[in-house]
Amino acid sequence: MINVLTKESNPLNKENKNFPIFNELSNKEHEQVVICSDPATGLKAIIAIHNTTLGPALGGTRMWDYESEEAAMRDVLRLSRGMTYKSAISGLNLGGGKAVIIGDPHTEKTEALFRSFGRFVDGLGGRYITAEDVGMTEKEMEWIYSETKYVTGIPKALGGSGNPSPVTAYGVYMGVKACANKAYGSDSLEGKKIALQGAGNVASYFARHAAKEGAKLYICDIYEDKAKELVEEVGGELVAPDSIYGLDVDIFTPCALGGIINDDTLDQFKCDIIAGGANNVLDEEDKHGQMLLDKGIIYAPDYVINAGGIINIASELEGYNEERALQNAGNIYNTITDILNYSEEHGMPAHKASNTLAEKRIETIGNIKNKYSSKANVSGRLGEVYKRFID
């Protein structure tokens, strides 16, 4: 009789207090984590590859002044896992990965640092493809591109798609409309009161779409000057960051950092819908997702509604076409609708409904890949479908 080891029965998978990092990787089912250190340039970075069943791991690089290594590791593990689900639910032939660079994005950027990071990315041989995220711009992507072809979001002048924010924001806008249709029977945002947390690129493009349709926007940002500028542009109202959660509005749209739906904020919400571009907005996914369901608040899973960014750069890998990217991002409306319907039918929080549908796709495609093919056109193996990677 052959004894088959499963994840549950394998003694190597048992938790051990002496191996907290490996325990965490096992719990979230990560494949690989790379620590990148270059004292000469000051580079301190972490690359996390979560899952490559559907294809190479694609996810942006975030530069942030983390308070500790533990905080940076926690963030990159959560973000990379989210990218796996984001690609899967969006129908892309891509896996999930993410990178974080520890440092102040306002004062510590140098060409040498990012080119050094590019060398680490290149060393992974295409298992991880990087892109722009919080604290990054096209300029840093260009520096990284100097050292590796495994980068997206490079300037249009170099054959890339440039800043993905407009496409990301359009997807958020369409996702919000899908939620409105579920809540009100109409997807019109005319007259709807929207609390917008953040005034960055994605938030600004979203605000323009919503204002054009006649929504009333209440806007905050930790950088007050940015918020004031956006308020003046779209005819909104400026509010203090601490006051944004308790506003009596129809829709709350988080477009800043994560963890903002938590024990301290949940009781403050007076909205019907929470849907926005920020990542990992549920501080404790299962706990706070269930609490939203119990409160009757419609929630658009963050990694679904903000998938326009990865849809945009996936289009870049295949030969960029902006019109096609926007059209594909518009399909987020249908994806959100399917998730909300599945959530309602099965009585489960929206994030669990989304995870379930994403996992089904990963499992289905993963089973197909078990079959041998001498030269299948599979982006996850040889990358032949992606023009960028053909030498």
Side-chain angles (χ1 to χ4, degrees), residues 108-119 136-148 151 154-155 158:
E108 298 182 34
K109 290 181 176 179
T110 66
E111 178 183 358
L113 183 146
F114 290 101
R115 292 187 68 158
S116 177
F117 176 71
R119 299 289 286 183
M136 303 286 277
T137 68
E138 287 182 44
K139 185 60 180 178
E140 289 79 61
M141 295 300 105
E142 186 175 349
W143 283 333
I144 294 169
Y145 185 53
S146 297
E147 302 297 333
T148 182
V151 55
I154 59 175
L158 296 176

Side-chain angles (χ1 to χ4, degrees), residues 64-98:
W64 194 255
D65 196 11
Y66 292 97
E67 62 184 18
S68 66
E69 295 172 351
E70 291 78 9
M73 179 67 77
R74 184 168 57 249
D75 203 26
V76 77
L77 292 181
R78 290 186 66 184
L79 291 167
S80 56
R81 177 175 175 266
M83 293 304 297
T84 294
Y85 286 89
K86 180 180 294 193
S87 290
I89 199 70
S90 302
L92 302 175
N93 294 318
L94 293 165
K98 206 78 173 184

